[in-house]
Amino acid sequence: MIHAEKMKKIRLVIVDVREPDEFAVGHASGSINIPLNRLRGRMEELRRLNKPLILCGDDDNGSAIAGALLRSNEISCIDAGSWKDVDLFLEASKP
């Protein structure tokens, strides 16, 4: 599993686009919560991070919708799908 300390070293930000109550029940280690319905208002904040964004959500398509929104605003991101799979996604993506 990739934990928060390792993420800081490889300079990734995991953005969980679920609602705060869902995030509180469980989330990927080191992730930040920006609900999908609030994402548009936080574009500049995300742009200033200047780090690769890894998006996750529930098993629905929230992270895909978030990805399309961010890319349409020229913010680079990767859709990792469900928050439960983020660690697996990051492990598989390592060089």
Side-chain angles (χ1 to χ4, degrees):
M1 256 202 259
I2 293 184
H3 296 286
E5 279 305 307
K6 189 166 187 178
M7 284 175 21
K8 287 178 187 174
K9 289 180 184 174
I10 56 177
R11 302 182 53 82
L12 294 175
V13 176
I14 298 174
V15 180
D16 188 319
V17 298
R18 296 175 299 144
E19 291 299 312
D21 58 330
E22 296 169 304
F23 184 81
V25 172
H27 53 270
S29 176
S31 61
I32 61 172
N33 182 224
I34 303 177
L36 184 58
N37 65 353
R38 297 188 194 135
L39 201 57
R40 189 174 302 279
R42 299 190 56 187
M43 290 292 168
E44 285 307 311
E45 173 187 346
L46 293 171
R47 189 173 281 112
R48 283 191 306 267
L49 289 174
N50 201 28
K51 295 179 182 179
L53 301 179
I54 307 297
L55 303 173
C56 63
D58 213 337
D59 293 329
D60 62 9
N61 61 354
S63 58
I65 294 167
L69 177 61
L70 290 171
R71 284 188 290 278
S72 74
N73 283 273
E74 300 179 3
I75 298 174
S76 180
C77 59
I78 298 169
D79 177 6
S82 171
W83 71 272
K84 296 174 187 173
D85 298 329
V86 168
D87 286 330
L88 296 173
F89 175 84
L90 293 173
E91 284 294 330
S93 300
K94 284 194 318 190

